[in-house]
Amino acid sequence: MPSSFVFPALRRGALALALMAAAGLASAQSMHVVLDTSGLGASSSGWLDLQFNPASVPAISASALVDHLNGFDAASAPQLNGDVQAQAGGAFLFGNSTDWNDLFHAVHLGGKVSFDVSFSGLPDPSPAAIPSLFSVSLYGADGVTQLGHTDANGSLLSLSWNPAASGAGQVGVAVVDAGVASVSPVPEPSAWLMLGAGLALLGVAKRRRA
């Protein structure tokens, strides 16, 4: 087969891999949350409030795992309410079995506070599936004064877990204060592998063409 046919096919294959990887990134069920507290003008210490609550109880079982914590005050004991359990390595597992599942944790203000949250849950075949809402709020050192521009519930951002009739559910994102809060998908390892393979193939095709 002439090389003029091989290289375009190689480039098309690499592009397909890259597009598949990008689709994987967009549909990831793990999200990376960053709170930039440098512009809040608050004291050096504050509180982060995380909640994972269903729209109504009972709801189809779902969970939210919070890990890779950065900016948290490890010397302070977290306050856990409802269906929240501390895990090995400083992670926390939220369930949605009650109507109020809350983690109140001391954090260091003045820089960036970040964590990953991974959602999972059972399929919900009902016509009106019950979502669960993961909300993020910041408070000052007194634990009462809300920081940033929040919604009516005091949230800087919220992530909704919406179960599907079959397979994985979907994550909805609502950022209230974009000056403080940001969120991005955490790619699955398979997506990284496909993206890397696609970029490598594009690099090989480019070098051979040159």
Side-chain angles (χ1 to χ4, degrees), residues 115-139:
F115 58 89
D116 292 344
V117 54
S118 303
F119 297 95
S120 61
L122 297 177
D124 188 351
S126 63
I130 299 175
S132 294
L133 190 68
F134 184 89
S135 58
V136 181
S137 305
L138 272 177
Y139 293 86

Side-chain angles (χ1 to χ4, degrees), residues 93-116:
L93 181 63
F94 290 72
N96 66 343
S97 62
T98 74
D99 59 359
W100 185 50
N101 311 294
D102 180 88
L103 165 66
F104 204 61
H105 204 303
V107 293
H108 302 292
L109 300 179
K112 291 185 178 179
V113 175
S114 65
F115 58 89
D116 292 344

Side-chain angles (χ1 to χ4, degrees), residues 154-170:
S155 301
L156 296 169
L157 71 87
S158 60
L159 304 171
S160 59
W161 169 254
N162 304 286
S166 61
Q170 296 295 322

